[in-house]
């Protein structure tokens, strides 16, 4: 009998912990005599038939490495594959060819490590008959049905360290420093790093802001002798009645909108309204790089081991998920095409309000933190 083989790919934007998942999957599979085949560059490797076998030796020592040894792509979708023809591009559906490759390779299952885009594509392959297991990855923590995703904690460490450093220089120069963090349409990273870093103002997409209220809180601090302020801004933040600031549109991508730049808009307004010097630091892809935090190494390893357990128990078309301290799984269909945003009744918002942080909006404070 041929050795069983499972495929694995890492899709979407990278984040710390991807290699820890690959290692967790490969080492666990090895223990059960199962081979692991890694596709290169996410679904692009399936489309272009680029892959190799992952041995125990190949994954040894990668636990602490950022990035992914398999490469990733946030452009490739087998359902909308972009091809160039006669100087023009058009999208074609190559999902059937990918299914043929899956069968030709004799894969028992495909582990898709990624965010909503990758898991949605994985879910569509599940509907076509593939055995899919999803592993939730993203610094945005915006996936449904899991308490958290790996990558988020490492990004939190990076963002919080940055806020700490900016705090001292802001205080020394009596400046307002705006720190722009990633997170697309979900404000988890801004909210949690903002609380952890003691941000004076936190702006998230879920709570549109009033610039007058932000300026008023900074002027109030100034009157009480605190002539500096830290404003933690989610890249997706927007004014009441306004829109998000789009940095670019990448037309050929499944998710074409790239946000960025809102903190510069706010800084210009605040400088005029407060008479304080306002500076901006955009953390950008720094938040996706570097070695995974211990929490992410642990979580990613647990996710990888659980993913193989699901394959062995033939519990397919599931996403591994953290519920409390338990490693569980949920139907991948429950996650497809959805985004988990910060609810307005989040206890974290109350915690921030309780310690005097403003969201630039008239929010009620009730001690439920
Ligand atoms: O989803 C992860 C993420 O890092 C977002 O926080 C950010 O908006 C986006 O990806 C950036 O994508 P790219 O690397 O394509 O600029």
């Amino acid at each position: 009998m041929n050795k069983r083989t499972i495929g694995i790919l890492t899709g979407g934007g990278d984040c710390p912990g991807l290699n820890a998942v690959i290692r967790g999957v490969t080492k666990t599979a090895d223990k059960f005599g199962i081979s692991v085949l890694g596709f290169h560059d996410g679904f692009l490797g399936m489309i272009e038939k680029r892959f190799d076998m992952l041995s125990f030796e190949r994954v040894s020592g990668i636990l602490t490495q950022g990035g992914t040894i398999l490469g990733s792509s946030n452009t490739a979708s087998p359902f909308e594959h972009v091809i160039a023809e006669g100087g023009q591009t058009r999208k074609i559906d190559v999902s059937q060819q990918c299914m043929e490759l899956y069968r030709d390779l004799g894969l028992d299952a495909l582990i898709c490590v990624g965010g909503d885009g990758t898991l949605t594509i994985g879910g569509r392959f599940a509907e076509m008959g593939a055995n899919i297991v999803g592993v939730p990855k993203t610094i945005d923590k915006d996936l449904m049905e899991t308490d958290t995703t790996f990558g988020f904690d490492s990004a939190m460490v990076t963002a919080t360290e940055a806020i700490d450093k900016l705090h001292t220089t802001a205080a020394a120069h009596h400046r307002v420093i705006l720190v722009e963090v990633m997170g697309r349409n979900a404000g988890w990273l801004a909210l949690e790093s903002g609380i952890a870093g003691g941000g004076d103002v936190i702006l998230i997409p879920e709570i549109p802001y009033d610039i007058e209220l932000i300026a008023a809180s900074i002027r109030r601090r100034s009157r009480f002798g605190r002539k500096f302020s830290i404003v933690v801004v989610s890249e997706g933040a927007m004014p009441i009645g306004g829109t998000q600031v789009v940095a670019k549109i990448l037309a050929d991508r499944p998710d074409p909108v790239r946000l960025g730049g809102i903190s510069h808009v706010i800084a210009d307004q605040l400088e005029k309204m407060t008479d304080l010097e306002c500076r901006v630091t955009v953390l950008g892809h720094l938040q996706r790089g570097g070695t995974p935090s211990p929490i992410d190494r642990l979580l990613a390893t647990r996710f990888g081991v659980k993913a193989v357990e699901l394959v062995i128990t033939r519990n397919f078309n599931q996403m591994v998920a953290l519920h409390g301290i338990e490693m569980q799984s949920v139907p991948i269909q429950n996650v497809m095409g959805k985004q988990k945003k910060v609810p307005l009744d989040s206890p974290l918002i109350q915690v921030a309000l309780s310690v005097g942080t403003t969201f630039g909006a008239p929010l009620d404070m009730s001690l439920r933190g």
Side-chain angles (χ1 to χ4, degrees):
M1 198 175 86
N2 282 344
K3 209 174 166 190
R4 286 170 69 185
T5 306
I6 53 182
I8 183 169
L9 58 82
T10 53
D14 74 327
C15 75
L18 286 164
N19 284 325
V21 176
I22 296 168
R23 171 181 172 274
V25 164
T26 307
K27 288 197 166 184
T28 310
D30 188 71
K31 285 235 178 313
F32 288 92
I34 301 171
S35 303
V36 179
L37 177 152
F39 288 102
H40 299 172
D41 302 330
F43 284 106
L44 197 59
M46 266 192 116
I47 296 168
E48 296 177 349
K49 301 189 177 170
R50 291 188 288 109
F51 50 83
D52 62 358
M53 299 311 292
L54 295 176
S55 62
F56 191 95
E57 291 68 34
R58 173 102 191 274
V59 300
S60 236
I62 65 169
L63 174 66
T64 59
Q65 285 173 22
T68 159
I69 59 164
L70 290 175
S72 190
S73 164
N74 57 5
T75 57
S77 167
F79 297 91
E80 292 178 280
H81 180 49
V82 179
I83 55 164
E85 235 173 29
Q88 301 227 309
T89 59
R90 68 186 179 94
K91 291 177 179 172
I92 56 168
D93 184 344
V94 293
S95 57
Q96 282 300 347
Q97 288 92 310
C98 290
M99 279 303 291
E100 276 164 33
L101 178 67
Y102 171 90
R103 291 194 190 101
D104 291 348
L105 291 170
L107 295 184
D108 201 23
L110 175 64
I111 297 178
C112 299
V113 188
D116 57 343
T118 303
L119 296 179
T120 300
I121 295 171
R124 291 181 72 180
F125 277 120
E127 287 160 3
M128 292 170 76
N131 295 330
I132 301 293
V133 173
V135 178
K137 162 241 70 164
T138 167
I139 66 164
D140 303 342
K141 206 176 80 167
D142 62 351
L143 282 175
M144 298 298 279
E145 305 264 352
T146 181
D147 290 354
T148 193
T149 53
F150 75 89
F152 177 73
D153 186 70
S154 306
M156 271 286 289
V157 170
T158 300
T160 307
E161 277 178 10
I163 295 168
D164 290 348
K165 289 178 178 168
L166 292 167
H167 237 118
T168 57
T169 177
H173 287 270
H174 314 297
R175 284 172 171 158
V176 176
I177 297 196
L178 294 93
V179 193
E180 185 171 311
V181 303
M182 281 184 166
R184 294 193 299 176
N185 304 311
W188 297 107
L189 190 53
L191 177 60
E192 296 191 34
S193 65
I195 295 172
D200 305 298
V201 180
I202 299 175
L203 304 177
I204 61 174
E206 293 86 346
I207 306 177
Y209 63 82
D210 177 344
I211 194 73
E212 295 289 347
L213 293 179
I214 303 172
S217 78
I218 290 171
R219 282 194 298 258
R220 196 162 46 244
R221 278 175 57 79
S222 191
R223 273 202 306 280
F224 284 103
R226 291 191 174 78
K227 299 214 174 290
F228 74 96
S229 286
I230 296 290
V231 184
V232 182
V233 187
S234 175
E235 63 181 353
M238 67 189 115
I240 294 170
T243 51
Q244 293 175 321
V245 173
V246 174
K248 3 171 138 166
I249 301 280
L250 304 164
D252 57 340
R253 310 285 167 97
D255 177 8
V257 177
R258 289 297 175 276
L259 299 170
I262 181 67
S263 46
H264 287 283
V265 174
I266 299 171
D268 287 347
Q269 292 174 310
L270 287 180
E271 201 158 78
K272 293 186 190 106
M273 296 167 84
T274 62
D275 277 336
L276 290 166
E277 188 181 359
C278 296
R279 294 295 186 94
V280 170
T281 299
V282 179
L283 297 183
H285 292 88
L286 274 177
Q287 296 158 103
R288 297 228 305 250
T291 186
S293 68
I295 285 177
D296 273 341
R297 292 179 203 180
L298 176 63
L299 182 62
T301 303
R302 290 180 74 193
F303 277 157
V305 172
K306 180 71 178 180
V308 176
E309 182 195 304
L310 293 180
V311 174
I312 289 169
T313 56
R314 308 203 71 71
N315 198 354
F316 295 124
N317 308 334
Q318 298 279 308
M319 179 189 82
V320 298
L322 185 73
H323 294 161
I325 57 167
E326 301 290 334
M327 197 44 55
Q328 295 184 344
S329 68
V330 295
I332 204 164
Q333 265 69 23
N334 295 1
V335 181
M336 288 168 71
K338 297 182 186 150
Q339 266 188 337
K340 183 171 73 181
K341 300 193 181 185
V342 177
L344 292 185
D345 62 355
S346 166
L348 291 177
I349 293 176
Q350 289 300 324
V351 165
L353 290 172
S354 301
V355 295
T357 301
T358 177
F359 290 87
L363 295 179
D364 290 335
M365 201 189 90
S366 58
L367 277 181
R368 291 186 301 114

